[in-house]
Amino acid sequence: MIDRYGPWAVVAGGSEGVGAAFAHRLADAGLNLVLIARRPGPLAETADAVRAKGMQVRTLELDLVSPDALARVRAVTDGLEVGLLVFNAGANSYRHEFVTGDLDGFQGVIDLNITAQLALTRHFGAPMKERGRGGILLVGSLAGFMGQARISVYAAVKAFGRIFAEGLWLEMREHGVDVLELVLGVTRTPAMERAGLDMDIPGLLVADPDDVAREGLDHLADGPVWVAGGNYETARQRAGFPRAELVADAHALMRRMLPKN
């Protein structure tokens, strides 16, 4: 892996959950890391654990929607040969019905999942193309396969991310750069637990962060899209027709997962 994707990897959203799992697996594979995240405590904890494995680690406490985000990322990474970008920072930061919601809140979802993702992908992807090797792994969501109430903007930006990854894959594959959208279903992460989601519904597929990180890295060369956690059939069904029936059924399941308060 280090010959194709090293010597440095950048993990945006690399402090806990799936991002931390990526950090550990990449360190085990011999890659040095730049970890970017908003939460200083988990960021420092993951960085220390990875350093204990003998790898170099740089950290950046940063909200990627900040106007100076790319400049701050460059201040930490310029001069490094970054062979892998893992963009795992696209969480849903605002839940509300659209017509009564706050446009600034929705804009934050767009800025994180689209604007920041595009900026980092372009910045690190261009040198990969010139070198003729590298990898770009964009973490997506099953939410992007259909519209959902109260997270309509989040679902829409996740759909954008998948379509963007497919086009980028076409553009980069002839230059030796692997591109993969790793689609996650329900995953037992600290963020999901803080959101109060019920992940113990009988029959619900719930993945472990380390398992989905392993899948993503194992299938990085199998782009443009890989659906993790045994959710391939669910993704296939959600992409089908008739839309009204499929969207309503998924909505009913989501209502069961959400906190009752």
Side-chain angles (χ1 to χ4, degrees), residues 83-102:
L84 177 64
L85 169 66
V86 177
F87 194 92
N88 178 56
N92 181 40
S93 56
Y94 187 67
R95 175 185 292 275
H96 205 287
E97 290 185 356
F98 181 73
V99 296
T100 56
D102 178 65

Side-chain angles (χ1 to χ4, degrees), residues 40-93:
L43 178 60
E45 182 178 344
T46 298
D48 288 344
V50 172
R51 287 192 187 100
K53 297 182 176 187
M55 306 313 300
Q56 298 181 60
V57 183
R58 297 184 182 186
T59 62
L60 178 60
E61 182 186 337
L62 174 67
D63 187 340
L64 285 168
V65 303
S66 301
D68 63 344
L70 182 57
R72 293 182 59 189
V73 170
R74 291 195 58 176
V76 174
T77 60
D78 278 2
L80 302 180
E81 185 176 328
V82 174
L84 177 64
L85 169 66
V86 177
F87 194 92
N88 178 56
N92 181 40
S93 56

Side-chain angles (χ1 to χ4, degrees), residues 153-233:
V153 173
Y154 175 71
V157 297
K158 286 304 182 183
F160 172 93
R162 186 177 74 258
I163 301 303
F164 167 64
E166 291 175 352
L168 187 66
W169 174 78
L170 288 171
E171 295 173 353
M172 299 290 271
R173 61 179 179 167
E174 64 187 67
H175 300 288
V177 180
D178 296 324
V179 176
L180 180 73
E181 157 104 343
L182 179 66
V183 177
L184 305 189
V186 179
T187 307
R188 200 175 294 278
T189 65
M192 284 284 197
E193 293 171 351
R194 287 192 295 269
L197 296 181
D198 183 359
M199 292 180 280
D200 297 316
I201 297 173
L204 180 68
L205 286 176
V206 181
D208 177 79
D210 186 63
D211 288 338
V212 297
R214 172 187 52 78
E215 278 195 71
L217 295 176
D218 284 350
H219 294 282
L220 184 50
D222 300 326
V225 176
W226 183 267
V227 182
N231 287 292
Y232 175 82
E233 184 59 26

